[in-house]
Amino acid sequence: MRGNVLNKSRCGRLHKLSDRDARALVRKGKKNPKISAPKLADQIATASGKKVHPETVRRILRSGGYNGRVSRNKPFISSVNQQKRLDFASAHVDKDFDF
């Protein structure tokens, strides 16, 4: 008889989400970067039936390369100022850097 049917002792707790679930979670975070971790946790609970804590979602997203930072909004530039900036740039495009 080969093998053993007894449970082996392991160190640490097993992961609640599988690798497939973690990849799906990272995809959802990439698709909608402004969604919060509790909302993602609720989506996982409804989709797979596994209840996870929002901190678990954050940890998985961080391991996937996403952090809890949002890029700063660019200031609004009116169409009049856009045209003025374009005219200035096109007028000075041939000048050297010492101008």
Side-chain angles (χ1 to χ4, degrees):
M1 180 172 151
R2 286 201 285 160
N4 193 354
V5 294
L6 298 176
N7 291 331
K8 291 184 177 181
S9 62
R10 297 182 181 98
C11 62
R13 181 177 173 168
L14 295 176
H15 294 286
K16 196 159 195 180
L17 295 177
S18 65
D19 291 339
R20 184 178 185 176
D21 293 334
R23 287 193 308 269
L25 181 63
V26 171
R27 274 196 309 272
K28 284 183 182 182
K30 184 178 181 180
K31 187 175 181 182
N32 187 2
K34 294 190 177 185
I35 193 168
S36 64
K39 287 183 183 178
L40 276 174
D42 289 340
Q43 288 181 2
I44 291 172
T46 57
S48 66
K50 298 177 183 176
K51 187 177 180 195
V52 293
H53 197 270
E55 192 59 40
T56 305
V57 173
R58 289 185 199 100
R59 183 176 43 80
I60 291 172
L61 288 176
R62 280 188 211 111
S63 67
Y66 294 97
N67 293 309
R69 292 186 285 275
V70 177
S71 61
R72 180 176 289 181
N73 290 335
K74 292 175 73 173
F76 176 73
I77 300 173
S78 65
S79 58
V80 173
N81 285 338
Q82 285 178 3
Q83 188 61 43
K84 286 182 182 179
R85 289 169 74 150
L86 181 63
D87 293 340
F88 178 84
S90 58
H92 293 81
V93 71
D94 295 332
K95 311 243 172 159
D96 58 347
F97 288 116
D98 296 333
F99 174 70

